[in-house]
Amino acid sequence: MQAIAAAPAVPAIVTPALLTPQSVQAQSPPPRPPGPLATGKRDAVADPVSHFFTAPRFAALHKLCHLLMPPMNGNPGALEAAVPQFLDFLVGQSPTDRQQLYKSGLDLLNSRSATQFGKPFASLDATQADTIIRPLFVLVPWQFDLPKEPGARFMAAAHDDIRVATRNSREWTQAAIAAGRRPVGAQLYFFPVDPVYPPAPPAPVYKG
Amino acid sequence: MAKQEFDVLIIGSGHSGGMAANVLTQKGISCLMLDAGPEVNLATNRATRNPWELPYRGMNKPGRLPHVVQANEFNANQWVDEKEVPYTHHPATPYNWVRVRLLGGRSLFWGRQSFRMSDWEFKAGEKEGVGDNWPISHADLDPFYSRVEAIFRVSGRKEGKPHFPDGNFLDADYGPDSATVQKVTQIAQSRGYLVSKIRASNGRNGQASSVNLLLPDALATGKLQIVPNAIVRELTVDKNTGLVNGANFLDRHSKQELHVKARVVILAAGSLESTRLLLNSGLANSSGMLGHYVIDQLYGVQVVASVPEARGGTPPEGLMGGTALLPRFRNLQKGEKNNFSKGYGMMIASGGAAQPGFFQDYGESLQKKLDLHAGACMTASIYGERLPRYENHVRINKDVKDAWGIPVLHADVKDSANEHNMAKDAADTAEDILKTAGWDILSKTDKFHPPGYSIHEVGGARMGDDPKKSVLNKWNQSHDVKNLFQVDGGCFVTCGWQNTTLTMLALAMRASEYLAEQMKTKAI
Ligand SMILES: Cc1cc2nc3c(=O)[nH]c(=O)nc-3n(C[C@H](O)[C@H](O)[C@H](O)COP(=O)(O)OP(=O)(O)OC[C@H]3O[C@@H](n4cnc5c(N)ncnc54)[C@H](O)[C@@H]3O)c2cc1C
């Protein structure tokens, strides 16, 4: 500021170069080559904040994640990959049928657990938990045709979500790199092309 | 001041519109191409990302594209936004309409499998005694197929079988078959089935789109203008002659409405979008057939077997890998006894993995099974032909409009016993082949996706010699409006089991040459 005040008469059109006296320019570090700034990634610096599931449901989901996808073959498990927190976010953003599937599925785990063992699902040991979840596994020969029975349907959907969310995590990629394996899952991302603004209103509902 | 009148207005820039522009401009005819979508540079518009770098960990923004099973978070932006351009169906009868609105349309992203259709499809009524014939045969289309195959650089293995017509193929070296593919081949052949290889468009530089193979030559003639972001709302008609004389379109961003004039209009907006445009324009429907006989192929049906000698992660050299393609083998003989008509092709791929749902298990014990079968699986899937049926139709739903105020389509398309029986036969047949080979079946399903999923939706404006039973004649020309052509898949009478695009391209080339001839002799 002082430097500017001390400068001689300022011309009508001020360019940055004119605002910076030569003496200051001479002292500045050499300019960096032009290019994008290095920016960080969300998942590398921050933890998700959970909002959607109630505490008992979240605890059951946490337990389920650990049982279904523990650390294996040198890869992180679902808990290391913060999958319960991620699914809290994802399901919270989802259409109501998916939300309902999760809520009633997690309630089912807790209620069966209370009936059989007198405690919440999250407090069961592995053998006890197995007696609760094993009957909910049915064969799913085709992933586009989930079982109709609600408990089995929840388990099929949650199993798939937990596996995919774990494999797609930053922790999974990092473990692969650390072990000298090629990380899987990277693909070409297609950017939006010249989107219309403002975006379209929600689609009207079919009445007919 | 009124702007120039073009010889031909082409609506749509995908495979079919691209072919029309390519043919017509090289014959000196001036063309204007309008496309609803923006231009895209595939080289700069894509970048490699890890799934966790995307907002939803690569698992998709929930509810964004409920009808596009093929969508994932990486490619979500390439599909038509279902909120911008909705369509409707009864909740109990889903229809999956998979659309792209970009310059080049779906040709930017297609899987490039390229098969000719045969007279078992063109002359289905004669050959099988069921359903209608096309007004053309394979012989009529053969020269056009050959030229399209040259442009798209199709490779394939010649078989000399009329139900799987050979083409003008690039030399391709398929190498020796793996032992598992040899075994499948031997078993299938012992049952009288032909076994071949996938036929595919190689294109150039990894792309086989209208943008790199068709439109550059058209532009080089100086006879083509392309205007993107132009959403055609309706065709306009000269009241005195009843002929079309242009179209009204909306600017995609501003929604300003504009009009263009042309002596001839070619629809190439995709089978169902072209149908929608004709229905919204109230044109070309004296037959009452417009929107009817909507067909596509039956995908789903999967049988997976594990090869015992290949288990444990490192199969012996030469055992696994490659694929066997079984072109349609059912109902090739008249009077063959099956509880369905038409047929399906089958692909058996060697070297796949088992899926978690194949086992009632979880955690480490599941992982051990997945590891055991990794790379040791044989996966059979099908390309089924659905029956064309009058009841299966699209119509305008006046209650719902898209973001540009244009009434949308309502799809009313259902499967019949024929599709279910075919799927069951396919699953049983695949199981039989894989079991006979001595492999263990891990999973079998005869379930399949709802109509539309195959992205091979055709029909809606079928061709025929009888103007009372068809919308277009054998030159893809409207029976009712002589200067109106539709060169996309709308004209299909049967859909075949074969991926449809090569046939669309050949038909579009043939129709465009006919049109050029007619314009030369001033018949149009
Ligand atoms: C992922 C994928 C894989 C595929 N794999 C294969 C395969 O292996 N083999 C095969 O044969 N086929 C395959 N297909 C199908 C193939 O892509 C289509 O059959 C073919 O591209 C259709 O071409 P088209 O010109 O009829 O329509 P489109 O490519 O859909 O082009 C229509 C154009 O019209 C424009 N348009 C629509 N409405 C309007 C309007 N109102 N005004 C102005 N313009 C409009 C659109 O923006 C679009 O650009 C695949 C498709 C996809 C998406």
Side-chain angles (χ1 to χ4, degrees), chain A residues 41 81 130 137 140 187 189 194, chain B residues 47 49 53 252 357 360 362:
Chain A
K41 298 289 184 196
D130 186 73
F137 282 89
V140 185
Q187 284 183 45
Y189 174 75
D194 191 14
Chain B
R49 291 280 183 273
E53 294 175 290
R252 190 168 70 89
Q360 285 173 279
Y362 63 92

Side-chain angles (χ1 to χ4, degrees), chain A residues 41-42 68 73 81 94 130 134 137 139-142 144-145 163 165 168 173 185-187 189-191 194 196, chain B residues 45-49 51-53 57 62 69 74 77 252-253 357-358 360-363 370-371 443 447 449:
Chain A
K41 298 289 184 196
R42 172 197 71 185
L68 266 44
N73 297 349
S94 293
D130 186 73
R134 178 85 44 195
F137 282 89
L139 293 178
V140 185
W142 197 48
F144 303 102
D145 186 47
R163 290 185 61 88
N168 284 3
T173 307
Q187 284 183 45
Y189 174 75
F190 189 87
F191 297 103
D194 191 14
V196 173
Chain B
N45 198 61
R46 298 189 289 192
T48 303
R49 291 280 183 273
W52 57 271
E53 294 175 290
R57 229 183 240 203
V69 180
F74 290 90
N77 296 313
R252 190 168 70 89
H253 286 285
F358 296 174
Q360 285 173 279
D361 209 347
Y362 63 92
L370 295 175
D371 292 344
S443 169
K447 297 276 168 36
H449 288 286

Side-chain angles (χ1 to χ4, degrees), chain B residues 17 50 90 93 113 214 284-285 305 392 480:
Chain B
N50 287 300
H90 189 279
T93 51
Q113 293 193 52
L214 299 173
N285 195 19
N392 284 341
D480 297 351

Side-chain angles (χ1 to χ4, degrees), chain B residues 11-17 34-37 79 98 100-107 109-114 230-233 268-271 273 277 455-456 488-489 499-502 504:
Chain B
I11 301 169
S13 65
H15 281 116
S16 56
L34 299 180
D35 197 283
W79 311 108
V98 183
V100 170
R101 275 194 176 189
L102 293 166
L103 198 69
R106 289 177 281 192
S107 76
F109 309 113
W110 70 310
R112 300 197 241 151
Q113 293 193 52
S114 303
I231 301 171
V232 179
R233 188 172 66 80
S271 310
E273 276 295 356
L277 196 43
I455 329 186
H456 295 154
D488 51 36
N499 307 46
T500 45
T501 308
L502 191 75
M504 280 180 207

